[in-house]
Amino acid sequence: VITPVSNGARLMYKNSLSGGVLEDVGLSRPPEQDKEGTNAPVTFELISQMDGDVIFAISHMDNDGLDVVNQLKIQPLWSQLEAVKQGKVYSVDAQHWYGWDIVRVNLILDDLF
């Protein structure tokens, strides 16, 4: 789970809402993301730390948010990620992947299905 930002991304860790939901449904995390805490920044040079079987890219789904996602997608290392090669990158809405209530948890579960 990543949140693209202007100079890279934030890796979402186990103590974030999305991290907790993924753990509860039994999805494993890559070692770089299977950490305590909520998130940490990663620059474009460390894009390899964003890889997994699937990538969920959290965005506000507005023009600014989608522009930041597109900045990430044009980075040369992005195309080297296995999830990208397999077409398993999903943009998800920050409106429900951030926060701490049951309504948002249910919306994340809907996205997973």
Side-chain angles (χ1 to χ4, degrees), residues 21 25 97 104-113:
V21 171
V25 299
W97 279 65
R104 290 187 172 130
V105 169
N106 283 311
L107 291 169
I108 292 171
L109 291 172
D110 288 346
D111 283 348
L112 294 176
F113 285 102

Side-chain angles (χ1 to χ4, degrees), residues 4-113:
V5 294
S6 61
N7 63 343
R10 296 191 77 71
L11 297 177
M12 303 307 291
Y13 290 160
K14 295 187 328 183
N15 298 111
S16 66
L17 175 68
S18 57
V21 171
L22 295 179
E23 186 172 17
D24 288 348
V25 299
L27 295 177
S28 61
R29 310 278 306 257
E32 294 84 4
Q33 300 173 30
D34 194 25
K35 298 179 180 179
E36 297 297 324
T38 56
N39 63 67
V42 177
T43 62
F44 289 135
E45 293 80 22
L46 298 173
I47 282 177
S48 64
Q49 293 183 9
M50 299 178 203
D51 207 4
D53 294 335
V54 174
I55 297 173
F56 296 104
I58 300 172
S59 171
H60 285 283
M61 303 300 200
D62 58 9
N63 287 339
D64 291 339
L66 295 175
D67 284 346
V68 173
V69 172
N70 289 331
Q71 286 177 20
L72 180 61
K73 288 180 179 179
I74 63 171
Q75 298 302 312
L77 295 174
W78 178 256
S79 63
Q80 302 301 313
L81 300 178
E82 276 305 309
V84 174
K85 291 178 186 177
Q86 300 293 322
K88 295 184 178 179
V89 179
Y90 303 96
S91 291
V92 294
D93 195 337
Q95 293 295 326
H96 56 267
W97 279 65
Y98 288 135
W100 295 101
D101 60 67
I102 191 68
V103 172
R104 290 187 172 130
V105 169
N106 283 311
L107 291 169
I108 292 171
L109 291 172
D110 288 346
D111 283 348
L112 294 176
F113 285 102

